[in-house]
Amino acid sequence: MQLFFSRQKPKADAKSAIVRLRETLDMLGKRESHLQSKIDAELKNAKSNAATNKRAALMALKRKKQYENQIEKISGARITIEAQVMAIENANVNLETIKAMEKGAEAMKAIHNNMDMNKVDDTMDSIREQIDLADEISNAISAPMIGIDLDDDELTAELEELEQEVLDSQLLGADAPPVTVPNVPTTEPELRATMAL
């Protein structure tokens, strides 16, 4: 029989743990500020009593030192709690990542559950057969009708003959170019008497 702790503690979730830790951080920050104000007051008290009442000044410095020790402990606790908050946040992110990855793996498994390589190969063979059939149909449709057998060499020769005829008709139908003769004097030049000498 358990007298103490008979009830099981409910499991803490990451969100409530982080909230609780942040509340503790706030409380520790307030405590640190309060202690800092006490340290300032004790330092002021020690300075004011340093020359007149050394015993009161020493007691003030002693209390100041105790407050400083408490602040150091609080600072250490705050660092530990901040590290714990970061660790919980990282663990929570990791947990959510793993959950998402598990869901993805389940989805892929469900997708591939109805598939096997034989089915994939059969499907791909069927697709290839249909593509080949479509090519054959296209070739049959685009082939010339029965009775018309065209030879590319004959067509090319006929085209060259037509081009030559067009060129010949253009050359024959063109007007003859005008003939121009250079201007030649029609009279003989007179010789000058001075040149004959």
Side-chain angles (χ1 to χ4, degrees):
M1 177 176 188
Q2 291 183 346
L3 296 176
F4 301 103
F5 305 109
S6 61
R7 292 179 17 195
Q8 289 184 345
K9 290 183 184 178
K11 292 183 180 179
D13 64 334
K15 186 176 180 180
S16 62
I18 290 172
V19 167
R20 178 72 176 126
L21 288 170
R22 290 192 192 278
E23 288 172 354
T24 304
L25 281 173
D26 288 342
M27 184 267 306
L28 290 174
K30 289 175 184 176
R31 177 74 178 149
E32 207 172 322
S33 296
H34 175 70
L35 288 173
Q36 186 61 48
S37 65
K38 284 190 167 194
I39 288 171
D40 295 340
E42 293 299 336
L43 183 61
K44 185 178 179 184
N45 189 7
K47 284 181 182 179
S48 66
N49 287 323
T52 58
N53 189 350
K54 288 191 182 230
R55 183 178 173 148
L58 283 173
M59 290 302 292
L61 288 175
K62 194 175 194 180
R63 285 188 299 271
K64 176 186 155 289
K65 190 67 168 166
Q66 289 174 340
Y67 295 145
E68 287 173 345
N69 286 338
Q70 286 182 6
I71 284 182
E72 283 181 29
K73 289 177 185 176
I74 289 172
S75 293
R78 287 183 70 186
I79 289 171
T80 302
I81 290 172
E82 287 170 355
Q84 192 175 18
V85 167
M86 284 191 282
I88 291 171
E89 288 172 342
N90 286 337
N92 197 35
V93 167
N94 291 341
L95 177 66
E96 293 301 319
T97 302
I98 290 295
K99 284 181 182 178
M101 291 171 78
E102 286 174 348
K103 289 289 184 190
E106 288 173 9
M108 287 179 69
K109 187 176 181 180
I111 291 168
H112 293 132
N113 195 23
N114 295 326
M115 271 193 242
D116 65 6
M117 282 311 295
N118 292 332
K119 284 184 180 180
V120 172
D121 288 339
D122 291 345
T123 302
M124 293 307 295
D125 288 341
S126 176
I127 290 171
R128 284 186 204 99
E129 288 173 8
Q130 292 304 314
I131 289 173
D132 290 342
L133 180 61
D135 284 343
E136 288 178 22
I137 291 171
S138 293
N139 290 337
I141 291 172
S142 63
M145 295 176 56
I146 298 173
I148 301 176
D149 190 19
L150 302 176
D151 184 15
D152 286 341
D153 292 335
E154 287 180 23
L155 292 175
T156 304
E158 188 175 340
L159 179 63
E160 287 175 1
E161 286 177 23
L162 286 173
E163 288 174 342
Q164 188 61 45
E165 285 178 20
V166 170
L167 185 60
D168 289 345
S169 67
Q170 286 176 346
L171 289 175
L172 291 176
D175 293 334
V179 177
T180 57
V181 180
N183 291 333
V184 178
T186 54
T187 60
E188 273 192 52
E190 292 180 25
L191 291 177
R192 293 190 185 166
T194 54
M195 284 180 97
L197 293 174

